[in-house]
Amino acid sequence: ADVEESSKPLFAGLSDISISEDIPVEGDISVPIGSQNADNDLSTLDEPVKDTIMRDLRAVGQKFVHVMYPKKSSALLRDWDLWGPLLLCVTLALMLQGGSADSEEDGRPQFAEVFVIIWFGSVIITLNSKLLGGTISFFQSLCVLGYCILPLTVAMIVCRIVLLGSSGGISFAVRLIVVTASFGWSTFASTAFLADSQPANRKALVVYPVFLFYFVIGWMILTFSPSR
Amino acid sequence: MSEPQGSKNTNTEPWGGFDDNIIQGSNSAVIDMENMDDTSGSSFEDMGEMHQSMKEEEAVAAEAEATEEDTGEDGEFLGMKGLKGQLGRQVADEVWQAGKRQASKAFNLYGNIDILRPYFDVEPIQVRSRLIESLIPVRVINFPQKVAGELYGPLMLVFTMVAILLHGMKTSDTVIREGTLMGTAIGTCFGYWLGVSSFIYFIAYICNAQITMLQMLSLLGYGLFGHCVVLFITYNVHFHSLFYLLWLAIGGLSTLRMVAVLISRTVGQTPRLILCGTLAALHMLFLLYLHFAYHKMVEGILDTLEGPNIPPIQRVARDVSVVANTVVNATIKTIAAIVQTQ
C-alpha cells in the first residue's frame, strides 16, 4: 500500500516531462586503452607456433624428470596434462607392433588393444581410488598413471635393442631383469603420488590395482618378440 | 499457479508417492515409474536411489516453477502481437527444458559414482579375512549366514584372475593370437563373474532363496579366490595329478562354502538341491575349463621348445631323402656286384 501511494505522484509527474533540446546532455565517453589486460591470457593465440610447442614440450619434459626421480613434489598434480601419457602410450603401442612372423589378423597385440588397455586400466584405477575415498581428481590421477609408464617404455626400448643382438636364454634373463626393475620403479613412482591422497590405512587397497596394471603392461613387453 | 506447490506435498509416502506431472499439465503426461518401487524398499541401494530421485524431483519442480512464471508473464505482456514467434519460442524452450531435465535425471541416477561408494568401504584387514574365509565352509546351515555386500574384493579378484590367465597363456614366444587372447581373458573372467552371478540369482529367485544380487556377486567373486590359487600353482608346475588334486581340494572347498551359505538361506529340499547343484557344477567345471583350454597350448609349446631352430617337418623330409638315397645306392651297388660276379 505504501508503495502504491508513493508511486502515484511519480506516475502523475511523468506525463508533464517532455524532452527538449534545452536540457544539455554532455559527458565524456572514452574507452580506456588499458582494457586489453583481460586479453593477455588469450593472447597466446598470436604467438608463434614454435613457442607454444616448446612451452608444452618443456612442461612434459619437466614431468618426465619428476617421474624418473620420484620425490614428493606436487608439480605433477598441480598442472596436470595428458600430452605426456598420450606420447608414451602411442610410443609403447607402436613399438609393440613391430614384430609378427605370421602377419595374420591375430598377431601381436594390436595398436588399438594396447591403447584401450592402458586407458581403460587407468580409468578403472582412478575410479577405484575415488571410490575408496581419495581426494585426487579424475584427470590428475590419469595424468600420474600415464606419466609413470615412462620407465616401462624405456624398458621396451632396451628390450628391442637387446633383441637385435640375440634372442637366447641370456637375452631373456637380461630382459626379465630390466622389465622387473622398471615395473617396480613405475609402481613405486605412482604410489609416491597417489598414496598421499588416500586415508592412511587404505593405501594397500589402492596400490594393488596399480601393481596389477603395470604387471600386465610389463608382461606384454617381456613376451614381445620381433619377426625374423 | 498454486498447483506446483501442491505437487510437493503429496510426496510423503515412504515409497516415494506418485509423480504429479499429470496435474501440472504443461510437462510430460507420463507417470514417472522410477519412484514406484515395488521390491525391497528397505535395501540400501534402493533407498539411495529413491532419495536421489526425490531430491531431483524437488529441484526440477522448483526450476519448472520459476520458468513457468517467467514465460507466463511474457505471454500475458505481449498479448496477441508476437503470438506466433512467442509460441514457437515457448515450445522450443519447453522441449529444451524437458530434455535437459531428463538428461540430468538420468545422468545423476546412473552416472553418479557415489552410488557405488558404500560398496567399496573396506579395510585391508577385512579383505584379507574374507579371502581366507572364502575357503572355509561354514558349519551352521539352519541359520542364514551373513554375506558381506562388498565389491572391492571381487573386482580385484577378477582382475587378478585376468592377469593369471595372461601369464598362463604367454609362457613362450610362439604364442599366436596374443592380441585377441587378452580380450578373451578379460571377457572370460568378467563374463563368468557377472553372467553366472545373474544366472544363480535368477534361480535363487525361483527357488525362493534369501539373497540379493549384490550378495551373490560378492559371494561368487570371493569364490574365485580358490580358482586364482589353483591356476597360479598349476600354470607354473605342469603336473596333471597335481592339478586334479588341487581341483578337488581347493575348488571343492570354495564351492562348499558358497553352497553352505546358499543352503542356509533356502528352505526346502528340492530348491536347495537345484540351486546348489547348479552352482557347484558351474564353479567346478569353470576351473576345469580354464585349465584345459590353455593346456594344449602349453603342451604344444613344450614340444616346440626342444628344437627351436629346426622345423620338424623339414628335418623328417631330409632324413627320408638321405635314407632313400643310401638305400638306392646300396641296392644299385649290390645289383652291380651280383651282375659282375655272374
Side-chain angles (χ1 to χ4, degrees):
Chain A
D2 288 338
V3 175
E4 283 179 33
E5 280 175 356
S6 61
S7 67
K8 264 189 189 164
L10 272 178
F11 281 119
L14 266 182
S15 54
D16 294 342
I17 293 181
S18 62
I19 301 175
S20 64
E21 294 87 7
D22 297 341
I23 303 177
V25 176
E26 47 181 290
D28 196 5
I29 300 177
S30 65
V31 178
I33 303 174
S35 73
Q36 284 174 358
N37 284 335
D39 286 346
N40 276 344
D41 295 335
L42 304 173
S43 67
T44 57
L45 267 177
D46 293 334
E47 65 179 12
V49 173
K50 186 169 81 83
D51 280 354
T52 314
I53 294 182
M54 286 313 294
R55 189 179 54 234
D56 284 336
L57 274 181
R58 232 175 275 132
V60 168
Q62 197 184 25
K63 294 205 187 70
F64 279 168
V65 169
H66 277 288
V67 168
M68 293 312 260
Y69 299 105
K71 305 177 296 230
K72 296 230 178 223
S73 79
S74 60
L76 213 66
L77 292 179
R78 236 183 317 121
D79 4 278
W80 57 268
D81 73 274
L82 292 177
W83 283 115
L86 182 68
L87 216 66
L88 288 172
C89 185
V90 168
T91 314
L92 197 61
L94 280 177
M95 284 199 290
L96 277 172
Q97 276 293 288
S100 166
D102 25 314
S103 56
E104 298 140 12
E105 74 276 1
D106 37 15
R108 295 292 168 242
Q110 304 299 315
F111 183 89
E113 297 210 51
V114 177
F115 219 82
V116 161
I117 283 176
I118 290 182
W119 287 100
F120 271 105
S122 306
V123 165
I124 289 174
I125 295 177
T126 308
L127 282 179
N128 177 54
S129 80
K130 283 196 77 101
L131 283 170
L132 283 172
T135 55
I136 203 171
S137 93
F138 183 74
F139 284 110
Q140 279 174 337
S141 172
L142 275 186
C143 167
V144 167
L145 286 168
Y147 270 106
C148 290
I149 295 182
L150 178 66
L152 283 166
T153 313
V154 169
M156 179 79 218
I157 297 175
V158 171
C159 281
R160 283 213 84 160
I161 295 175
V162 167
L163 278 172
L164 281 179
S166 67
S167 60
I170 296 181
S171 87
F172 181 74
V174 167
R175 280 186 293 140
L176 180 67
I177 292 174
V178 167
V179 169
T180 313
S182 63
F183 149 73
W185 198 342
S186 288
T187 312
F188 173 68
S190 65
T191 54
F193 292 113
L194 282 180
D196 278 345
S197 61
Q198 294 293 328
N201 50 347
R202 293 200 186 167
K203 289 202 210 287
L205 294 183
V206 176
V207 168
Y208 181 68
V210 174
F211 169 86
L212 266 184
F213 176 60
Y214 289 131
F215 177 81
V216 169
I217 297 181
W219 204 254
M220 276 199 287
I221 293 175
L222 188 61
T223 58
F224 171 77
S225 72
S227 60
R228 302 200 179 266
Chain B
M1 279 304 172
S2 63
E3 293 159 346
Q5 277 134 21
S7 75
K8 279 187 199 163
N9 293 331
T10 56
N11 280 346
T12 48
E13 283 86 352
W15 43 272
F18 287 96
D19 202 359
D20 287 340
N21 278 333
I22 305 177
I23 300 179
Q24 284 179 0
S26 58
N27 299 336
S28 64
V30 177
I31 299 178
D32 205 338
M33 291 295 285
E34 55 194 12
N35 279 336
M36 299 201 296
D37 203 9
D38 48 343
T39 58
S40 51
S42 60
S43 73
F44 184 85
E45 59 261 55
D46 291 337
M47 285 304 282
E49 281 180 17
M50 256 189 344
H51 278 137
Q52 197 83 28
S53 49
M54 270 163 52
K55 259 191 263 174
E56 274 305 301
E57 279 302 314
E58 286 180 7
V60 153
E63 209 185 279
E65 257 188 42
T67 53
E68 274 179 20
E69 281 171 3
D70 289 340
T71 53
E73 280 176 2
D74 279 347
E76 283 163 17
F77 181 67
L78 280 181
M80 293 297 291
K81 231 192 213 175
L83 189 61
K84 273 189 193 157
Q86 189 58 31
L87 199 61
R89 246 177 291 153
Q90 233 179 338
V91 167
D93 212 15
E94 286 291 318
V95 169
W96 170 250
Q97 291 292 332
K100 201 169 83 161
R101 266 198 300 274
Q102 288 293 333
S104 69
K105 246 195 281 186
F107 180 73
N108 283 340
L109 202 58
Y110 299 114
N112 195 2
I113 64 166
D114 281 336
I115 296 176
L116 293 176
R117 208 176 270 270
Y119 310 140
F120 282 76
D121 192 13
V122 289
E123 306 289 318
I125 296 193
Q126 280 178 321
V127 174
R128 191 162 27 106
S129 63
R130 279 174 198 164
L131 282 177
I132 297 184
E133 272 172 13
S134 77
L135 289 178
I136 303 175
V138 291
R139 297 298 178 108
V140 182
I141 57 172
N142 47 7
F143 183 75
Q145 293 299 310
K146 191 173 86 72
V147 180
E150 170 225 333
L151 285 180
Y152 174 82
L155 205 65
M156 288 305 128
L157 277 171
V158 172
F159 282 124
T160 309
M161 204 158 84
V162 170
I164 293 179
L165 273 183
L166 288 176
H167 161 72
M169 287 181 213
K170 294 186 190 189
T171 49
S172 105
D173 293 334
T174 60
V175 171
I176 44 175
R177 298 187 291 130
E178 178 183 304
T180 55
L181 275 179
M182 215 166 298
T184 312
I186 295 179
T188 309
C189 297
F190 266 100
Y192 176 76
W193 183 46
L194 294 172
V196 172
S197 286
S198 319
F199 181 62
I200 300 286
Y201 176 69
F202 167 66
I203 296 187
Y205 179 75
I206 292 179
C207 299
N208 239 351
Q210 304 288 321
I211 195 162
T212 67
M213 182 67 188
L214 172 73
Q215 289 172 329
M216 193 59 227
L217 279 171
S218 181
L219 194 64
L220 193 67
Y222 275 113
L224 287 176
F225 176 61
H227 282 16
C228 285
V229 168
V230 173
L231 288 175
F232 185 66
I233 296 176
T234 55
Y235 278 151
N236 291 319
V237 181
H238 306 285
F239 286 131
H240 266 297
S241 49
L242 179 67
F243 168 70
Y244 283 121
L245 193 67
L246 286 176
W247 176 60
L248 281 175
I250 299 185
L253 275 178
S254 89
T255 311
L256 271 178
R257 162 150 178 103
M258 291 199 297
V259 158
V261 169
L262 281 177
I263 285 182
S264 76
R265 287 168 169 256
T266 317
V267 185
Q269 287 292 86
T270 316
R272 282 178 172 181
L273 197 64
I274 296 174
L275 191 57
C276 302
T278 320
L279 180 61
L282 284 172
H283 203 67
M284 302 293 276
L285 286 176
F286 184 59
L287 185 54
L288 215 60
Y289 163 73
L290 281 181
H291 179 82
F292 284 112
Y294 309 115
H295 191 70
K296 266 189 223 158
M297 207 178 290
V298 170
E299 275 186 343
I301 289 163
L302 283 177
D303 285 340
T304 56
L305 274 179
E306 287 166 14
N309 292 325
I310 305 172
I313 299 175
Q314 263 189 2
R315 183 172 46 180
V316 170
R318 230 186 297 138
D319 283 346
V320 164
S321 67
V322 163
V323 166
N325 280 340
T326 50
V327 163
V328 164
N329 286 341
T331 47
I332 289 176
K333 277 181 193 156
T334 51
I335 290 171
I338 292 169
V339 162
Q340 268 186 347
T341 54
Q342 285 185 355

